[in-house]
């Protein structure tokens, strides 16, 4: 007769809550082997752990969380035998403030690390959800908002089923993400860049200083009060706290195109061979433009005069500008133009006017034909 098969191994286990997780104690009445324990948090995917000793520690679990568990004994042939547990569910212990460490993980974030799984145990006062660190799954990070700068960010941790504790972090200017700063380029002179910094009075000591470079002239730097119209600039701002530079802001590129109203273009003194134009210039967004040294005008008339320069520069006479085009034909209509210029380059907007030269002496003489009759 065949001898009866040996009875299957009997195993049982105990689960004891410890700091950061569970201690698994195996009890066997036969040879030892390998074990597989399955933990299941309600609503979450199952976690499986393999070990081959009678005691095993599982850490990085969630605090104050109930887990279902089961253990299998795996013999040398690979056969699995369920083990008996004193209970099927066990709750982890609570967390203390000492279990939390303030760490650095991602620039511009407030990050905390623990040997507990704190993924669902923390909430921030700015209501921004925590996200895992990209390099360490034991760290979770919170992004301070733009208006959190220069304030305190409070993070609340659930310590057990009935209580919680707070950890407060001072959000300095170092947390400021310069890409979130809104900069509005100037459209008038004197130039001013509107920069949106975190709200006062939290950041009352913050200022921004801009240094500007003209396109193609990187070594020629200017401040905002020195900028000229009709010129391409790139201005870089420095955020300062108590006059100490903290961060540089992304450069702002712009050109201030001054509006120009030449009004009116009229005749000052016309002769039979010349036209003299006079006008006053107004600029709404660049009120000082007409008085700038590099701002000038050219005058011309069509058709152009013969044997004379077709372009005549203007002169300043009191509050007016004047120019005289000579070498014209008497008693003739001309279309005359005043072209504004800055730094010897034409700028918008030219003005035109219809003008007429006076009649010359030859035009006043009439040809008289005398007929003689013989009686």
């Amino acid at each position: 007769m065949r001898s009866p098969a040996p009875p299957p191994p009997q195993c049982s286990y105990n689960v004891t809550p410890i700091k950061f997780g569970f201690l698994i104690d195996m009890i066997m009445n036969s040879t030892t082997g390998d074990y597989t324990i399955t933990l299941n948090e309600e609503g979450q995917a199952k976690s499986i752990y393999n070990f081959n000793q009678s005691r095993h520690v599982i850490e990085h679990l969630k605090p104050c969380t109930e887990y279902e568990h089961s253990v299998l004994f795996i013999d040398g042939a690979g056969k699995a035998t369920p083990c008996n547990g004193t209970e099927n569910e066990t709750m982890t212990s609570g967390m203390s403030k000492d279990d939390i460490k303030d760490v650095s993980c991602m620039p511009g974030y407030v990050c905390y690390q623990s040997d507990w799984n704190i993924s669902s145990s923390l909430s921030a006062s700015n209501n921004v959800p925590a996200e895992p660190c990209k390099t360490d799954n034991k760290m979770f990070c919170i992004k301070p908002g733009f208006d959190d700068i220069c304030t305190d960010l409070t993070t609340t941790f659930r310590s057990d089923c009935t209580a919680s504790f707070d950890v407060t972090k001072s959000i300095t200017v170092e947390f400021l993400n310069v890409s979130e700063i809104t900069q509005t380029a100037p459209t008038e002179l004197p130039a001013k860049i509107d920069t949106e910094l975190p709200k006062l009075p939290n950041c009352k000591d913050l200022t921004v200083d801009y240094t500007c470079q003209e396109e193609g002239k990187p070594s020629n730097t200017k401040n905002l009060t020195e900028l000229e119209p009709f010129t391409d600039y790139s201005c870089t701002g420095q955020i300062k706290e108590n006059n100490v530079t903290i961060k540089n802001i992304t450069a702002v590129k712009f050109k201030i195109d001054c509006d120009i109203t030449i009004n009116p273009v009229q005749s000052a003194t016309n002769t039979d061979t010349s036209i003299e134009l006079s006008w006053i210039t107004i600029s709404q967004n660049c009120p000082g433009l007409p008085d700038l040294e590099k701002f000038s005008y050219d005058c011309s008339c069509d058709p152009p005069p013969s044997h004379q320069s077709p372009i005549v520069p203007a002169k300043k006479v009191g509050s007016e500008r004047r120019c005289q085009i000579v070498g014209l034909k008497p008693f003739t209509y001309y279309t005359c133009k005043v072209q504004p210029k800055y730094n010897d380059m034409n700028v918008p907007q030219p003005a035109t006017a219809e003008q007429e030269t006076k009649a010359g002496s030859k035009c006043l003489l009439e040809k008289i034909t005398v007929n003689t009759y013989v009686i």
Side-chain angles (χ1 to χ4, degrees):
M1 292 182 62
R2 290 184 179 179
S3 59
Q10 298 296 313
C11 66
S12 60
Y13 68 95
N14 291 324
V15 177
T16 305
I18 60 172
K19 195 171 187 177
F20 310 129
F22 291 139
L23 171 64
I24 312 298
D25 278 312
M26 300 304 306
I27 302 172
M28 291 290 297
N29 60 1
S30 62
T31 182
T32 59
D34 294 328
Y35 305 93
T36 297
I37 183 169
T38 301
L39 293 184
N40 183 30
E41 177 193 354
E42 184 177 357
Q44 304 295 322
K46 294 180 179 180
S47 299
I48 299 176
Y49 306 85
N50 297 309
F51 57 101
N52 58 10
Q53 296 181 353
S54 60
R55 304 194 96 190
H56 183 68
V57 173
I58 299 176
E59 293 185 325
H60 198 53
L61 299 181
K62 295 180 180 179
C64 191
T65 302
E66 196 166 72
Y67 289 88
E68 293 181 350
H69 45 75
S70 60
V71 176
L72 293 176
F73 170 71
I74 312 297
D75 64 18
K79 183 179 178 180
T81 302
C83 299
N84 296 321
T86 55
E87 53 189 2
N88 295 327
E89 296 179 343
T90 304
M91 180 176 288
T92 53
S93 62
M95 178 173 56
S96 69
K97 199 169 187 177
D98 293 337
D99 298 336
I100 302 298
K101 297 178 181 177
D102 181 356
V103 294
S104 297
C105 173
M106 299 189 292
Y109 283 74
V110 174
C111 297
Y112 295 104
Q113 184 269 335
S114 177
D115 286 329
W116 286 107
N117 180 346
I118 57 174
S119 59
S120 59
S121 299
L122 68 168
S123 58
S125 57
N126 63 357
N127 295 320
V128 174
E131 55 185 282
C133 174
K134 296 177 181 179
T135 59
D136 190 332
N137 64 359
K138 290 187 176 182
M139 298 182 186
F140 283 85
C141 303
I142 300 164
K143 179 73 170 65
F146 189 77
D147 291 329
D148 290 326
I149 306 300
C150 304
T151 66
D152 290 335
L153 180 68
T154 299
T155 303
T156 300
F157 292 85
R158 184 182 64 173
S159 61
D160 59 37
C161 296
T162 59
S164 61
F165 59 85
D166 293 337
V167 177
T168 299
K169 176 78 173 182
S170 179
I171 308 303
T172 66
V173 183
E174 291 296 330
F175 286 89
L176 183 61
N177 185 347
V178 295
S179 65
E180 296 178 353
I181 296 176
T182 300
Q183 301 174 96
T184 303
T187 57
E188 60 185 21
L189 290 177
K192 179 183 177 182
I193 298 175
D194 290 328
T195 310
E196 183 184 349
L197 293 175
K199 292 180 180 179
L200 295 174
N202 299 334
C203 295
K204 60 184 178 181
D205 297 322
L206 288 187
T207 58
V208 181
D209 287 346
Y210 282 93
T211 301
C212 303
Q213 296 176 330
E214 183 178 344
E215 187 175 289
K217 300 179 180 179
S219 61
N220 184 16
T221 60
K222 297 181 178 182
N223 58 42
L224 288 174
T225 60
E226 299 173 311
L227 301 189
E228 302 180 37
F230 309 107
T231 306
D232 290 305
Y233 288 103
S234 177
C235 298
T236 301
Q238 291 183 324
I239 299 178
K240 295 185 176 182
E241 187 173 32
N242 294 319
N243 293 322
V244 177
T245 300
I246 304 298
K247 289 178 179 285
N248 290 331
I249 314 178
T250 305
V252 181
K253 297 184 178 181
F254 60 89
K255 180 174 69 172
I256 299 174
D257 291 320
C258 300
D259 69 299
I260 296 174
T261 301
I262 297 175
N263 184 37
V265 177
Q266 58 187 2
S267 172
T269 302
N270 288 357
T271 70
D272 59 343
T273 59
S274 67
I275 293 175
E276 186 176 41
L277 304 174
S278 68
W279 66 90
I280 294 176
T281 299
I282 300 172
S283 178
Q284 296 295 331
N285 65 336
C286 305
L289 177 66
D291 298 323
L292 295 180
E293 183 179 348
K294 294 182 180 180
F295 188 62
S296 61
Y297 307 83
D298 280 343
C299 300
S300 61
C301 289
D302 188 32
S306 58
H307 310 297
Q308 299 288 339
S309 172
I311 304 296
V312 178
K315 297 180 180 180
K316 188 173 183 179
V317 180
S319 60
E320 293 184 340
R321 293 292 181 114
R322 292 186 182 185
C323 61
Q324 186 179 47
I325 299 96
V326 299
L328 305 179
K329 295 179 181 180
F331 203 47
T332 303
Y333 279 99
Y334 288 89
T335 300
C336 297
K337 181 173 74 171
V338 175
Q339 173 63 61
K341 304 176 71 176
Y342 189 81
N343 202 20
D344 294 328
M345 300 292 291
N346 290 348
V347 297
Q349 289 282 341
T352 59
E354 299 293 330
Q355 294 289 320
E356 182 184 17
T357 53
K358 291 185 177 182
S361 57
K362 291 182 180 180
C363 297
L364 297 176
L365 295 177
E366 296 180 355
K367 184 178 180 182
I368 302 175
T369 301
V370 179
N371 293 322
T372 303
Y373 295 93
V374 177
I375 299 177

